[in-house]
Amino acid sequence: MIKDRNIAIDAAINPMKLIGAGLNPLFGDTYYVCKSSLACYNWLNKRVPSDRLFKTIAAADAAMVDNTNARALIMPGHTESSATEISLTTVGAEFIGLGRGPLRPTFTTTGAVNAISLDGNYQTLANVGFAVPGIDNVSADIDVVGAGCQILNTFHLGSTTAKNKVDFITLTATANDTVIDGMRAFNDVVEMTGGGINFEGACARVEIANTIILDAIGYAKGAIYDGATALNLMIHDSTFMNAKAATVVAEFGNNSTGMMRDCFIIGRHTTIASNVTPGTGMNFFNVLAVEEAAKNAIAIPAVDAE
């Protein structure tokens, strides 16, 4: 028990001392993820406590404490390959990759599963990449289950010879208030049987910004599509492409609600307008589309002239 009778109002208090008093820390611990074959592992091993250095992101997650702002720094050059889903469960945890280009931490999936599932509320996954699949029909790179999660600056490759992914990111019914910002995704070899971003559940208030999903072969259901009726979507400042002939780019046929503004649609459907299925609940502002290369875009759906 803390007795405060003799503590001055302006006394300096070390918040980490509160841990020993049975209270959660005010600032979370930092963990490090680095596979042992990297040179930085030996450097970290000499300087970081053993209970802060892990060889996989799942091991770091298992050591974290909910609601303490814990963070895992994933070292440059770190890679992981898994045939099973990596489930991250710590509430409020941050998983942040360090490095750019070939040094960006990268995950490869060799099972027909999600690569990573954000299962805890208010998680952040940032600056990581997802390599081409190691098996056919990988479910998704990221599956969002928790509410209030952030996916920032991620890189995705959709297929290689005879192997594809179903989707890049899927959002379940409980993935309310998710933010996806800075996603870059490409599919060039084999058609993906789903698409880019899939609202597979009736989640609400998802924001997608500064995202580019390009394609050279096809997304069967669209670069972005609603598998369920999502509510109050906020999609802006993004580009979506589907190279498959006579196939929609942005599909809102399940009548999701919200808005799409300042976005670009690149498709190969039979008419320009058919590259977007607007449904009955989405509103569009400055959404421009093309259905042929080397052409400029026009506004779709039809402009409201009343």
Side-chain angles (χ1 to χ4, degrees):
M1 178 177 179
I2 299 176
K3 296 181 179 180
D4 60 2
R5 290 175 299 179
N6 299 316
I7 298 178
I9 294 177
D10 60 349
I13 299 175
N14 181 352
M16 297 311 292
K17 297 292 186 180
L18 298 178
I19 300 175
L23 300 177
N24 287 331
L26 300 182
F27 305 99
D29 290 323
T30 298
Y31 300 81
Y32 301 86
V33 179
C34 182
K35 65 181 185 178
S36 58
S37 61
L38 293 176
C40 64
Y41 182 86
N42 290 330
W43 188 91
L44 287 167
N45 198 34
K46 297 175 182 177
R47 294 164 175 82
V48 174
S50 59
D51 62 350
R52 295 292 183 270
L53 178 59
F54 298 94
K55 297 176 183 178
T56 67
I57 191 174
D61 174 68
M64 293 176 171
V65 178
D66 287 343
N67 296 309
T68 60
N69 298 313
R71 69 194 62 84
L73 299 181
I74 312 169
M75 293 296 101
H78 178 78
T79 60
E80 292 188 32
S81 179
S82 178
T84 58
E85 178 181 275
I86 300 171
S87 173
L88 304 178
T89 62
T90 306
V91 176
E94 298 178 337
F95 304 90
I96 302 171
L98 304 180
R100 291 186 57 80
L103 294 179
R104 190 200 306 259
T106 301
F107 295 84
T108 300
T109 306
T110 57
V113 297
N114 302 311
I116 291 177
S117 183
L118 301 181
D119 291 334
N121 293 339
Y122 315 118
Q123 294 181 334
T124 296
L125 180 66
N127 196 45
V128 297
F130 296 88
V132 296
I135 195 171
D136 199 21
N137 289 320
V138 168
S139 299
D141 289 334
I142 305 171
D143 182 47
V144 186
V145 178
C149 292
Q150 296 183 103
I151 299 170
L152 310 175
N153 190 31
T154 56
F155 180 86
H156 309 254
L157 295 175
S159 61
T160 187
T161 303
K163 300 173 184 176
N164 67 359
K165 298 173 181 176
V166 179
D167 297 303
F168 290 125
I169 296 178
T170 52
L171 298 113
T172 68
T174 52
N176 301 322
D177 304 299
T178 298
V179 174
I180 300 171
D181 195 338
M183 174 186 179
R184 300 290 182 267
F186 307 89
N187 185 45
D188 295 327
V189 183
V190 178
E191 178 182 316
M192 290 172 58
T193 55
I197 298 174
N198 173 14
F199 300 98
E200 67 178 15
C203 49
R205 301 176 302 276
V206 173
E207 180 179 3
I208 298 171
N210 306 308
T211 287
I212 299 175
I213 300 177
L214 297 182
D215 175 55
I217 189 68
Y219 300 116
K221 296 182 179 180
I224 183 169
Y225 69 102
D226 61 348
T229 305
L231 302 176
N232 296 318
L233 298 179
M234 299 165 281
I235 305 167
H236 59 92
D237 300 286
S238 298
T239 298
F240 303 98
M241 179 179 184
N242 193 355
K244 185 177 181 180
T247 305
V248 68
V249 179
E251 168 66 65
F252 302 107
N254 275 313
N255 301 321
S256 293
T257 67
M259 67 87 180
M260 174 182 270
R261 70 161 176 82
D262 299 312
C263 289
F264 303 102
I265 304 295
I266 307 167
R268 298 294 181 263
H269 217 310
T270 51
T271 65
I272 292 179
S274 56
N275 286 289
V276 173
T277 302
T280 60
M282 290 293 292
N283 302 282
F284 299 85
F285 308 91
N286 193 34
V287 176
L288 304 177
V290 294
E291 64 171 347
E292 296 180 46
K295 298 288 182 68
N296 208 343
I298 64 170
I300 61 168
V303 175
D304 187 352
E306 295 181 345

